[in-house]
Amino acid sequence: MTGEHSSKQYDTDLESIRSKVLLMGGLVESQFRDAMVAFRTGNVEMAFAVVKGDDSVNKLEVQLDDTCSHLIVRRQPTANDLRTVMATVKVITDLERIGDEATKIARTTASMQERGAMIINHYETVRVIANSAADMLHDSLDAFARLDSKQALRLIAQDEVIDHEFRSIMRSLITFMMEDPRTISSALDTLWVAKAIERIGDHAKNIAEYVIYIVEGKDIRHSDYASTADLDE
């Protein structure tokens, strides 16, 4: 009975952690969304609110890391249970970094407004990649919540689409700068925003990879697993 009670308590503790991770995920989704609204509208107050909100995300990261460490010490999980905890810690790290990227976008927005750097249509340049990354982040959190490895696998393949969009943006902005040197400052700022969005896609892909690790026990980082796996299995 002691072992059964311990197992149930472990499951309860782990579910509590998962709920807080999803809360953190909701916060970084809001950060990213608000950062892009600020970038589109030039709303400096909203941009600064995104920057300030990063403190909450950072505090959650510290709290969750500490909770996971204590869970390992108290429950001494093995095999699948330990794998789940370790992967969850990595998800927490990626979520914190997504918050950092959203903060970069917000800071860039404030800087552009202060300098009046509005020569090119900066938001339209990144609109498609921003929508793609937002969808990918949302779906990766959904896959984590439901431990859906098939959905996670589909998301990994989507990251290449975001990478392709970023390369297209980079070529376009280089053309702007070559044709009109007055656009150099704002084009570089927009490229900085596009890179932050591309990195958010990378972190969302990482979360999807950790879902597969939890469910299937396969570490597919730095591999071509997504291109060779059969999604219809």
Side-chain angles (χ1 to χ4, degrees), residues 147-163:
L147 294 180
D148 187 338
S149 61
K150 288 188 184 301
Q151 178 173 328
L153 189 59
R154 287 190 290 269
L155 287 171
I156 293 169
Q158 288 179 20
D159 185 57
E160 181 55 38
V161 175
I162 291 179
D163 291 344

Side-chain angles (χ1 to χ4, degrees), residues 40-83:
R40 174 172 58 84
T41 63
N43 189 325
V44 176
E45 288 186 5
M46 180 175 283
F48 284 136
V50 171
V51 174
K52 184 176 180 180
D54 198 45
D55 289 340
S56 298
V57 174
N58 292 339
K59 288 177 181 177
L60 260 178
E61 181 198 21
V62 173
Q63 292 171 4
L64 283 166
D65 279 349
D66 184 65
T67 302
C68 288
S69 297
H70 279 81
L71 180 64
I72 292 173
V73 171
R74 289 198 318 271
R75 306 299 175 192
Q76 298 182 348
T78 58
N80 293 353
D81 289 340
L82 180 60
R83 189 172 74 221

Side-chain angles (χ1 to χ4, degrees), residues 2 24 28 30 48 50-51 57-59 82 87-88 103 111 162 181 189 204 213 233:
T2 302
M24 185 179 181
V28 299
S30 295
F48 284 136
V50 171
V51 174
V57 174
N58 292 339
K59 288 177 181 177
L82 180 60
T88 300
T103 300
S111 175
I162 291 179
D189 284 329
Y213 181 61
E233 286 183 353

Side-chain angles (χ1 to χ4, degrees), residues 13-210:
D13 292 344
L14 187 59
E15 188 56 37
S16 175
I17 290 172
R18 283 169 52 80
S19 296
K20 290 179 181 177
V21 171
L22 292 172
L23 170 63
M24 185 179 181
L27 288 177
V28 299
E29 274 196 283
S30 295
Q31 265 191 297
F32 182 32
R33 180 179 60 251
D34 290 349
M36 291 312 304
V37 170
F39 187 64
R40 174 172 58 84
T41 63
N43 189 325
V44 176
E45 288 186 5
M46 180 175 283
F48 284 136
V50 171
V51 174
K52 184 176 180 180
D54 198 45
D55 289 340
S56 298
V57 174
N58 292 339
K59 288 177 181 177
L60 260 178
E61 181 198 21
V62 173
Q63 292 171 4
L64 283 166
D65 279 349
D66 184 65
T67 302
C68 288
S69 297
H70 279 81
L71 180 64
I72 292 173
V73 171
R74 289 198 318 271
R75 306 299 175 192
Q76 298 182 348
T78 58
N80 293 353
D81 289 340
L82 180 60
R83 189 172 74 221
T84 299
V85 177
M86 298 306 295
T88 300
V89 170
K90 292 180 180 294
V91 169
I92 293 164
T93 298
D94 275 292
L95 288 175
E96 189 276 332
R97 289 175 179 170
I98 290 171
D100 287 345
E101 298 298 337
T103 300
K104 289 178 186 177
I105 295 170
R107 291 186 187 280
T108 301
T109 296
S111 175
M112 292 177 76
Q113 283 293 324
E114 288 170 3
R115 301 193 325 272
M118 294 295 158
I119 299 174
I120 62 174
N121 193 339
H122 55 285
Y123 175 74
E124 281 302 314
T125 304
V126 301
R127 178 177 57 83
V128 174
I129 192 175
N131 289 339
S132 297
D135 289 343
M136 192 171 176
L137 172 57
H138 180 80
D139 290 345
S140 69
L141 289 169
D142 183 61
F144 176 74
R146 297 186 295 108
L147 294 180
D148 187 338
S149 61
K150 288 188 184 301
Q151 178 173 328
L153 189 59
R154 287 190 290 269
L155 287 171
I156 293 169
Q158 288 179 20
D159 185 57
E160 181 55 38
V161 175
I162 291 179
D163 291 344
H164 175 74
E165 289 171 355
F166 173 72
R167 290 190 292 268
S168 296
I169 289 170
M170 185 167 58
R171 288 192 296 268
S172 175
L173 290 173
I174 289 173
T175 300
F176 268 116
M177 289 186 283
M178 291 176 63
E179 292 180 349
D180 186 352
R182 294 175 301 173
T183 67
I184 289 176
S185 178
S186 56
L188 289 175
D189 284 329
T190 304
L191 183 60
W192 180 248
V193 169
K195 183 60 180 176
I197 295 169
E198 187 265 341
R199 289 295 298 145
I200 287 173
D202 287 341
H203 291 303
K205 181 189 75 169
N206 291 347
I207 293 171
E209 289 176 342
Y210 298 137

